């Protein structure tokens, strides 16, 4: 689960993003896995890389862990992965894809573009009434009346 916090939804970049995952110990021994949380952007750019030990998890127990991600991107497609290593070379992995998109800001920009297009269309439909003389007649008169011709 990925949650944004400390923002104006849809307008500003998130100050903090909370990455939440649940670890279950389905075996019969205590485990204290090490979690590596990574986030990569649309073009493979590494945005986050956290590695730390988690709490001890007893057999049959589930623990929900939250990691705080400061300075998440304003707009990007992000792949978030959690890799757990425990015991002797045992591991588990989970990942998800999420989008950081300022939807409200995009909708406002789209509405502004549509407004400008409509304004131009209706404003462009009204033109000044044409003069009684066409341009060629006016040009001939100006050329004929100019001095030195």
């Amino acid at each position: 689960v990925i949650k944004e916090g400390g923002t104006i939804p849809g307008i500003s970049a998130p100050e903090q993003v909370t990455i939440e995952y649940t670890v279950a110990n389905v075996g019969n021994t205590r485990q204290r896995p090490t979690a590596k949380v990574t986030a990569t952007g649309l073009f493979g750019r590494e945005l986050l890389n956290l590695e730390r030990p988690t709490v001890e998890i007893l057999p049959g127990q589930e623990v929900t862990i939250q990691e705080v991600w400061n300075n998440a991107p304003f707009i990007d497609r992000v792949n978030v992965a959690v890799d757990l290593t425990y015991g002797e070379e045992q591991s588990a992995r989970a990942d998800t894809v999420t989008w950081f998109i300022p939807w409200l800001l995009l909708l406002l920009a789209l509405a502004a573009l549509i407004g400008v297009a409509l304004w131009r269309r209706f404003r462009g439909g009204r033109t000044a009434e044409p003069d009684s003389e066409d341009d060629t007649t006016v040009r001939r008169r100006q050329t004929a009346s100019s001095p030195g011709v």
Side-chain angles (χ1 to χ4, degrees):
V1 177
I2 299 173
K3 302 175 185 175
E4 294 180 21
T7 64
I8 301 171
I11 295 179
S12 62
E15 291 175 10
Q16 288 185 342
V17 173
T18 302
I19 300 169
E20 185 176 287
Y21 55 97
T22 302
V23 180
N25 183 351
V26 295
N28 58 5
T29 60
R30 295 181 195 193
Q31 298 292 335
R32 186 178 172 95
T34 299
K36 182 176 182 181
V37 180
T38 57
T40 53
L42 182 61
F43 299 108
R45 184 174 54 114
E46 187 175 87
L47 303 171
L48 177 70
N49 190 352
L50 299 173
E51 189 168 347
R52 61 184 61 152
T54 61
V55 297
E56 185 174 69
I57 305 169
L58 300 174
Q61 185 182 18
E62 281 188 3
V63 176
T64 299
I65 301 169
Q66 293 183 344
E67 300 287 350
V68 175
W69 178 10
N70 293 313
N71 302 320
F74 181 64
I75 185 167
D76 205 348
R77 178 188 175 275
V78 179
N79 183 19
V80 179
V82 177
D83 292 297
L84 296 172
T85 50
Y86 57 95
E88 294 180 21
E89 298 184 29
Q90 297 175 339
S91 63
R93 178 181 176 91
D95 62 348
T96 188
V97 174
T98 189
W99 286 87
F100 292 102
I101 298 176
W103 290 108
L104 183 59
L105 192 60
L106 289 176
L107 287 174
L108 289 173
L110 182 63
L113 286 173
I114 291 171
V116 167
L118 289 174
W119 179 73
R120 281 184 160 187
R121 179 176 179 171
F122 289 116
R123 185 179 151 265
R126 291 187 227 151
T127 59
E129 291 190 23
D131 293 335
S132 59
E133 299 177 310
D134 65 326
D135 281 345
T136 56
T137 308
V138 172
R139 282 191 207 133
R140 285 186 198 144
R141 284 188 190 162
Q142 288 175 347
T143 306
S145 64
S146 59
V149 176

